[in-house]
Amino acid sequence: MTYKDSNFNNVFWKFSLEFYARPKVASRLISLQDDLGVNINLVLCCFWSADRGFAVLTQQVISDLNAIVEDWNLLVVKPLRSARLGIKHMESDKYTKIREKIRGKAKDLELSAEQFEQMIIYDYLNTHTGSSVLSEQDKIEIAKSNLFSYLGFLKLNTRADSEMLDELLDSYRKFLQNSIK
């Protein structure tokens, strides 16, 4: 597959920034990441693909998406996150301003790595799936199916906090309602 540099700042990234900024979404996604080891970009993909009118993501598509981002996430994104969090949690009052400046640069680099990962997901989905116009309720149902399918792929569907997942789906419902206005 050939990736296009022009897809770096794509609609998936823009959707993710908007959805992530909604109340409780960031904290819920980070909890899923920290507690269960999910890839936030793939969770966001579950919502974005429904938003774009893609059909429910099959286990094969989820497996493919996981495979194409796995090395990048493991070898680049996670170490950058670890470095940023390591700087954040240092317990020294020395050189605080310099450490914060470095942490800010690490955060920027981590976000760029996340954005690159989303570009890979975006390119794959736009190459392998078609879209259609869906009702708000259909989008919610597809997002829910995608989310549970992804968690099932990771064998986490029984370990995920159902209240947290319901809150994410409710946030998505509100996001859709605000998008229509």
Side-chain angles (χ1 to χ4, degrees):
M1 177 184 306
T2 304
Y3 299 109
K4 302 173 190 168
D5 291 342
S6 62
N7 288 342
F8 190 62
N9 196 26
N10 59 62
V11 292
F12 178 29
W13 180 249
K14 292 172 185 169
F15 166 89
S16 296
L17 292 175
E18 288 179 37
F19 185 57
Y20 194 86
R22 298 211 41 92
K24 297 184 181 181
V25 171
S27 63
R28 298 301 181 227
L29 290 173
I30 290 170
S31 290
L32 284 172
Q33 174 183 270
D34 293 348
D35 298 346
L36 300 178
V38 303
N39 180 325
I40 289 177
N41 281 332
L42 291 176
V43 173
L44 288 168
C45 174
C46 291
F47 291 101
W48 173 75
S49 61
D51 194 64
R52 297 301 290 178
F54 295 149
V56 172
L57 300 176
T58 65
Q59 284 291 305
Q60 184 60 53
V61 169
I62 289 171
S63 177
D64 291 349
L65 288 169
N66 188 67
I68 63 173
V69 299
E70 190 172 35
D71 285 345
W72 180 259
N73 193 273
L74 184 66
L75 299 173
V76 179
V77 175
K78 286 182 178 180
L80 289 170
R81 182 179 308 123
S82 180
R84 176 183 54 82
L85 292 173
I87 295 167
K88 179 180 180 179
H89 297 298
M90 289 185 78
E91 297 202 17
S92 171
D93 292 332
K94 289 186 175 185
Y95 314 112
T96 304
K97 287 183 181 181
I98 295 171
R99 276 200 329 266
E100 283 306 306
K101 186 175 182 178
I102 293 168
R103 187 171 80 86
K105 289 181 180 186
K107 183 178 180 179
D108 290 344
L109 190 55
E110 179 187 356
L111 282 172
S112 291
E114 296 271 13
Q115 187 174 4
F116 179 78
E117 185 173 286
Q118 283 202 0
M119 181 187 74
I120 294 168
I121 294 167
Y122 173 84
D123 282 347
Y124 176 90
L125 285 178
N126 279 310
T127 303
H128 292 85
T129 58
S131 64
S132 60
V133 177
L134 299 173
S135 70
E136 179 183 313
Q137 189 57 41
D138 288 341
K139 289 179 180 184
I140 292 165
E141 290 302 317
I142 288 174
K144 183 177 183 177
S145 293
N146 289 345
L147 186 57
F148 282 98
S149 190
Y150 174 57
L151 293 172
F153 168 77
L154 296 174
K155 299 186 181 13
L156 297 173
N157 45 342
T158 58
R159 292 184 48 212
D161 180 342
S162 61
E163 184 178 320
M164 184 185 310
L165 298 177
D166 287 343
E167 286 179 2
L168 276 173
L169 289 163
D170 188 52
S171 293
Y172 179 61
R173 180 179 292 105
K174 290 174 183 171
F175 175 83
L176 289 174
Q177 290 167 348
N178 287 340
S179 296
I180 294 170
K181 293 177 182 176

